[in-house]
Amino acid sequence: MTALLELDGVCAGYGGVPVVRGVDLAVQAGQLVALLGPNGAGKTTTLLTVSGLVAPTAGTIRVLGDEVPNRARRAAVGRRARAGLAHVPEDRSLFPGLTVAEHLTLGTGWREGRAAVARGVELFPALDELRDRRAGLLSGGEQQMLAIARALVSHPEVVMVDELSLGLAPRIVADLLAVLRGVADDEGTGFLLVEQHVAMVLDVADHAVVLNRGEVRLSAPAAELRDDAEVLATAYLG
Ligand SMILES: Nc1ncnc2c1ncn2[C@@H]1O[C@H](COP(=O)(O)OP(=O)(O)OP(=O)(O)O)[C@@H](O)[C@H]1O
Ligand SMILES: [Mg+2]
């Protein structure tokens, strides 16, 4: 089976300083993969490299089996998005002055726009009565729902979410993760989730990869790590 997303020996950094070093990982259809690790480990940089915002210095990245060239960053971002890759960055990238419905319909025609809003509300029923509210007035949890809904309305094959839980109550994080699990199960979408709430994400994930100082220290089925806090702690310590 071809992985939806595959990284093979990926290296990347900033201004010649290596930050991600030889990362291998794969996301299969219907899989939820957790990307874990301490602050500064290179998790965000890994996602930025996959989406094409940071150019890799070595290794290959395949989206749906297609190798994407390393040069031409802007072109790479568009090409990866069209290939079915969605990225929800840490800052959520919402427009404070636009409404919930406007976010869901950005870049779509009228007919597709209605379908997009229906899809967003189906995923997160709480967004229904917030359709006409500006994003800047939403709560943190509602903003994250919108950011994820916006990524999912185009039916991407694989979705990367950076720090889904940032600033949110654990209860809300669990609800959001449950929605993603459902989309993975029902539609075969693959997810790569950077997460600090380790126990919560391991509860729903299929596989976990721990990065430390830019290198993969541990890659194992989530079920194995749920009961083995020691293995996980060792990987975090490096
Ligand atoms: N734009 C940048 N320019 C230079 N160095 C950067 C830049 N962004 C990140 N770094 C450095 O790269 C390293 C990895 O950062 P990255 O943001 O990928 O880590 P992270 O695992 O996402 O951490 P966190 O859990 O704190 O979000 C850090 O040492 C960071 O200081
Ligand atoms: Mg980060």
Side-chain angles (χ1 to χ4, degrees), residues 44 90 162-163:
T44 294
E90 214 166 342
D162 201 349
E163 306 259 359

Side-chain angles (χ1 to χ4, degrees), residues 14-15 19-20 37-46 48 90 162-163 194 196 211:
Y14 302 95
V19 163
V20 169
N39 292 125
K43 305 180 296 294
T44 294
T45 304
T46 300
L48 293 173
E90 214 166 342
D162 201 349
E163 306 259 359
V194 169
Q196 300 281 7
L211 277 190

Side-chain angles (χ1 to χ4, degrees), residues 185-210:
D185 291 342
D186 298 345
E187 298 171 34
T189 311
F191 288 91
L192 181 60
L193 302 178
V194 169
E195 195 43 76
Q196 300 281 7
H197 283 67
V198 173
M200 290 188 113
V201 76
L202 286 179
D203 260 354
V204 300
D206 300 291
H207 196 89
V209 172
V210 180

Side-chain angles (χ1 to χ4, degrees), residues 144-233:
Q144 190 61 286
M145 281 181 213
L146 177 57
I148 293 168
R150 202 178 144 211
L152 289 173
V153 290
S154 59
H155 295 275
E157 303 277 349
V158 55
V159 182
M160 306 187 292
V161 187
D162 201 349
E163 306 259 359
L164 172 132
S165 60
L166 204 70
L168 303 184
R171 174 68 211 286
I172 293 171
V173 177
D175 288 350
L176 291 171
L177 288 171
V179 171
L180 301 189
R181 180 73 261 176
V183 172
D185 291 342
D186 298 345
E187 298 171 34
T189 311
F191 288 91
L192 181 60
L193 302 178
V194 169
E195 195 43 76
Q196 300 281 7
H197 283 67
V198 173
M200 290 188 113
V201 76
L202 286 179
D203 260 354
V204 300
D206 300 291
H207 196 89
V209 172
V210 180
L211 277 190
N212 200 329
R213 290 181 209 159
E215 291 179 44
V216 174
R217 289 298 153 89
L218 179 66
S219 176
E224 277 179 25
L225 301 178
R226 268 170 222 148
D227 309 316
D228 204 336
E230 206 170 316
V231 170
L232 203 56

Side-chain angles (χ1 to χ4, degrees), residues 58-69:
T60 53
I61 297 169
R62 287 185 204 86
V63 179
L64 301 176
D66 259 346
E67 191 173 328
V68 199

